[in-house]
């Protein structure tokens, strides 16, 4: 590569992902771009002038061009993923250079640092459509929200979709226990509680226990009972960037961390037993959730021995929420983990059938959504 001094390149440790191509002769700018690439977990290639080979220009996941070298690049050919970094975005000459090289964005440092770190990480990770993300909340204590969340994840994984189940309730006892995997190796929530900024999607996936063909972020048996809001935001954003399906089991009280999770949920399911007291409690839960999540739907759970005369449609009307469906009681459901099977393992049971029908509708809705809405990962 013309102008590249290999001895000036940082040594690869094997942990970094292939990074952007940096083109600049400005040593101060180069230092800044190397620092930002490291923050994104990427090790870049550096050229002190136009690349000698067309392949080097075309193959890089992202090209970062200093304003000092941009005038020499118009002949390099058009390609997506070119960012021009200059000293003054109000300079018309810089914008003319941006047009000449086909830059997608012009920015200055340090103002554009946060955006650039995310852009580098996105380019290296090869980010696609965000995960379809569903939050499950109980209308009252003991409604079965954790069981439904686990069954939704198990059902999605059964179809071959990349699936992640996130335990957002520190006091729920642990979804890994519900899935019979409390002894499986992998990180739990306390390992992520110091997370700030951006968590790599691939690293998150590989660090979590794999149970029943899905990845699970749960709690350990320690005394930690809180998720800092920045950690929840970072982990949820990484899970969504991974794609596929994400299911989050959430508590009924909306604190700052739960609000961060709800902000990245596409659809919320409020599980409400067909009982008058449960409906009264669920109204209060729904009021809190709807301050953050617009698309909240009711799942009516009918249990034996608790006749109320209320039909699922009537429950949804009383809660002023759309009805996502009726979940019948499934005999022997609580015994499945003890037998080594997770909730929803019986594909012919009412719970699994409900989950399969829900995903069929939800993923159809997702496919029909405008592309801009599908691709908008929140972070």
């Amino acid at each position: 590569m013309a102008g590249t001094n290999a001895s000036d390149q940082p040594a690869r440790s094997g942990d970094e992902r292939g990074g952007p191509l940096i083109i600049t002769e400005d040593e101060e700018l180069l230092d800044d771009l190397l620092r930002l690439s490291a923050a994104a977990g990427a090790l870049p290639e550096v050229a002190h002038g136009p690349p000698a080979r067309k392949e080097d220009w075309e193959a890089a996941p992202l090209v970062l061009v200093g304003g000092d070298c941009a005038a020499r690049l118009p002949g390099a050919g058009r390609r997506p993923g070119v960012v021009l970094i200059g000293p003054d975005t109000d300079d018309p000459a810089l914008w003319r250079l941006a047009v000449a090289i086909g830059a997608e964005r012009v920015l200055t440092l340090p103002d554009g640092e946060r955006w650039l770190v995310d852009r580098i990480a996105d380019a290296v990770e090869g980010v696609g459509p965000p995960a379809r993300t569903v939050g499950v909340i109980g209308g009252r204590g003991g409604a079965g929200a954790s069981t439904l969340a686990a069954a939704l994840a198990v059902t999605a994984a059964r179809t071959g979709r990349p699936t992640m189940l996130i335990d957002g309730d520190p006091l729920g006892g642990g979804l890994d226990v519900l899935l019979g995997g409390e002894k499986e190796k992998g990180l739990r929530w306390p390992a992520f509680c110091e997370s700030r900024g951006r968590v790599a999607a691939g690293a998150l996936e590989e660090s979590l226990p794999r149970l029943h063909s899905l990845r699970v972020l749960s709690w350990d048996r320690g005394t930690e009972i809180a998720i800092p809001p920045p950690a929840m935001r970072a982990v949820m954003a990484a899970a969504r960037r991974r794609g596929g399906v994400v299911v989050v089991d959430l508590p009924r009280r909306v604190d700052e961390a739960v609000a961060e999770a709800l902000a990245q949920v596409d659809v919320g399911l409020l599980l409400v037993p067909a009982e008058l007291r449960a409906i009264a409690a669920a109204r209060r839960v729904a009021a809190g959730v709807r301050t953050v999540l617009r698309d909240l739907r009711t799942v009516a759970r009918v249990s034996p021995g608790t006749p109320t005369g209320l039909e699922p449609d009537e429950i949804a009307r009383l809660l002023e929420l759309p009805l996502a469906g009726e979940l019948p009681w499934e005999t022997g459901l609580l015994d499945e983990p003890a037998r080594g099977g997770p909730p929803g393992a019986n594909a012919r049971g009412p719970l699994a059938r409900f989950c399969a029908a829900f995903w069929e509708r939800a993923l159809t809705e997702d496919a029909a959504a405008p592309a801009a809405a599908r691709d908008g990962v929140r972070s």
Side-chain angles (χ1 to χ4, degrees), residues 52-356:
R53 299 184 306 164
K54 183 178 181 181
E55 293 81 1
D56 295 329
W57 171 262
E58 294 178 346
L62 184 69
V63 180
L64 308 180
V65 180
D68 60 300
C69 289
R72 289 182 275 163
L73 291 177
R78 296 279 174 153
R79 56 149 291 166
V82 176
V83 178
L84 179 60
I85 301 101
D88 182 7
T89 55
D90 292 329
D91 182 358
L94 189 65
W95 286 96
R96 286 195 292 270
L97 289 172
V99 172
I101 65 174
E104 71 174 35
R105 184 153 180 160
V106 177
L107 56 83
T108 60
L109 301 180
D111 293 347
E113 286 193 354
R114 179 174 178 180
W115 180 90
L116 189 55
V117 169
D118 285 347
R119 183 66 181 86
I120 294 170
D122 282 346
V124 174
E125 287 183 354
V127 172
R132 183 65 162 168
T133 305
V134 176
V136 184
I137 309 109
R140 65 155 171 77
S146 295
T147 298
L148 177 57
L152 283 167
V154 167
T155 304
R158 188 184 292 129
T159 67
R161 294 183 180 88
T163 304
M164 187 175 294
L165 176 61
I166 296 177
D167 190 345
D169 186 357
L171 303 180
L175 290 179
D176 55 349
V177 176
L178 181 62
L179 294 171
E182 63 272 20
K183 296 182 180 180
E184 289 293 320
K185 293 182 179 180
L187 299 183
R188 267 66 174 179
W189 259 117
F192 296 96
C193 283
E194 298 302 318
S195 297
R196 300 292 187 274
R198 185 184 182 98
V199 173
L204 173 66
E205 177 180 13
E206 293 302 319
S207 70
L208 300 180
R210 184 178 176 85
L211 303 172
H212 309 289
S213 300
L214 58 101
R215 297 287 180 171
V216 181
L217 177 55
S218 187
W219 290 87
D220 62 11
R221 312 286 81 83
T223 58
E224 187 76 43
I225 59 170
I227 305 171
M232 178 66 84
R233 183 188 317 123
V235 168
M236 286 292 300
R240 281 176 56 82
R241 289 196 307 273
R242 172 179 172 267
V245 165
V246 175
V247 181
V248 193
D249 181 25
L250 293 168
R252 291 177 290 135
R253 181 174 179 177
V254 180
D255 58 18
E256 291 185 19
V258 173
E260 291 287 356
L262 288 169
Q264 301 202 57
V265 164
D266 297 312
V267 179
L269 298 180
L270 184 65
L271 183 58
V272 184
E275 307 163 3
L276 291 176
R277 289 185 63 193
I279 294 169
R283 286 181 64 89
R284 292 191 291 272
V285 175
V289 171
R290 293 180 77 181
T291 62
V292 185
L293 176 62
R294 182 171 56 185
D295 191 353
L296 180 64
R297 309 175 191 181
T298 301
V299 177
R301 200 201 77 191
V302 179
S303 302
T306 57
T308 63
L310 293 174
E311 295 296 326
D313 287 339
E314 179 67 7
I315 294 172
R317 188 189 67 79
L318 291 171
L319 294 173
E320 299 179 337
L321 294 173
L323 180 66
E326 176 185 348
L327 181 60
W329 180 260
E330 185 170 345
T331 304
L333 179 61
L334 299 180
D335 298 328
E336 283 186 343
R339 296 196 302 263
N346 177 11
R348 297 181 179 180
L351 179 58
R353 291 202 307 270
F354 171 87
C355 293

